[in-house]
Amino acid sequence: MYLLKNLTVNENDIFAHMKIKPILIALISILPIVILAVLAWQIVRTSSITSSASADAAIVLGAAGINGEPSPVFEQRILHGIELYQTGRVQKLIFTGGVGEDDTLAESEVGKAVAIASGVPAADILIETDSRITQQNLLEACTLMQKNGLQNAL
């Protein structure tokens, strides 16, 4: 008891930690929002950057052809390749992809048919029909490029 009589307590010291706690909680709560805002800004900024790079060819990776029609993902890839060709950014289109399960036509053949129907000359389209996975797609595309004297691709 003697110690408590002589102990002087400053009321400000007792409540100082209580003032820091709300500030700390507020900062921790705001941090994820700030991080998300920065990421969103980076995504928007990057998405508006357009490349004008050109190359000998565009490689269009297969993504399922169903009954001779491209899947929605594959169709968008094909259309992008056609756009690159039509704007003169590439001279050749390389379609990759073999025959999927329950299909009779290779993915690359589906892509080629769509490109020809869109006005791309058959002479400017290269295909490979053996690959089944992305790594094989790229290896086969590289082989086609070497055989046809193509140096670079988008």
Side-chain angles (χ1 to χ4, degrees):
M1 287 291 180
Y2 178 77
L3 291 175
L4 290 178
K5 277 187 188 178
N6 294 328
L7 183 65
T8 58
V9 177
N10 184 345
E11 194 174 288
N12 290 333
D13 291 340
I14 292 173
F15 297 106
H17 74 282
M18 295 177 96
K19 292 178 184 175
I20 293 174
K21 199 173 190 178
I23 293 171
L24 188 59
I25 290 171
L27 288 174
I28 291 171
S29 299
I30 292 173
L31 187 61
I33 295 168
V34 171
I35 290 171
L36 287 174
V38 169
L39 288 174
W41 176 75
Q42 288 285 0
I43 290 169
V44 169
R45 188 176 67 93
T46 304
S47 68
S48 65
I49 297 171
T50 56
S51 172
S52 59
S54 60
D56 296 333
I59 299 172
V60 181
L61 302 177
I66 304 157
N67 297 325
E69 297 293 323
S71 67
V73 169
F74 191 28
E75 181 178 27
Q76 290 306 306
R77 291 178 184 180
I78 295 166
L79 294 176
H80 185 69
I82 292 169
E83 178 186 351
L84 292 172
Y85 179 84
Q86 290 175 338
T87 58
R89 292 180 51 199
V90 297
Q91 289 74 49
K92 301 277 186 195
L93 293 177
I94 300 173
F95 291 101
T96 66
V99 179
E101 288 185 33
D102 301 325
D103 281 323
T104 56
L105 207 55
E107 295 167 0
S108 57
E109 293 171 321
V110 172
K112 180 178 180 177
V114 173
I116 289 172
S118 298
V120 178
D124 289 340
I125 300 171
L126 304 172
I127 66 168
E128 66 78 22
T129 59
D130 297 325
S131 63
R132 302 282 298 181
I133 61 172
T134 304
Q135 183 179 8
Q136 291 172 341
N137 290 155
L138 294 171
L139 289 172
E140 294 292 334
C142 286
T143 300
L144 280 173
M145 289 178 67
Q146 290 171 348
K147 287 180 182 176
N148 290 277
L150 304 173
Q151 299 298 310
N152 49 43
L154 298 176

